[in-house]
Amino acid sequence: MLDFARQIKEATGLMTIGVGLITSSDMATYALENDDCDFVAFGRELLRNPNLVMDIAKERKVEEIVHQAYNRAYR
């Protein structure tokens, strides 16, 4: 649906959310960097992997994404 998001964004100037078959952080980054959309939604991928955001943060070596009090739940 990134094509539609880009077309709507160009035609209206509204902010758009890219959805549909975005399964990795690389795909999301590509969509955002190429100005296809302003936001990305991980739909079914979050159903498959509820820890997707944490996995992406770990993959990109982002630290302290979760408040320190809750860190032990994610180790």
Side-chain angles (χ1 to χ4, degrees):
M1 301 295 169
L2 291 176
D3 250 2
F4 291 132
R6 186 180 340 95
Q7 290 173 21
I8 292 167
K9 183 178 176 172
E10 289 172 355
T12 65
L14 295 172
M15 295 182 111
T16 58
I17 301 173
V19 298
L21 300 176
I22 299 172
T23 59
S24 71
S25 63
D26 291 336
M27 292 172 76
T29 300
Y30 178 83
L32 294 168
E33 287 179 349
N34 285 314
D35 218 22
D36 291 335
C37 55
D38 299 293
F39 303 95
V40 173
F42 291 96
R44 282 179 237 151
E45 197 59 31
L46 279 171
L47 292 174
R48 280 195 268 298
N49 179 5
N51 292 317
L52 178 66
V53 175
M54 295 302 292
D55 292 346
I56 291 171
K58 193 180 290 185
E59 167 189 309
R60 293 179 177 234
K61 300 189 182 2
V62 175
E63 294 182 23
E64 298 184 26
I65 192 169
V66 174
H67 189 273
Q68 183 180 6
Y70 301 104
N71 269 341
R72 68 176 174 218
Y74 293 96
R75 290 185 187 179

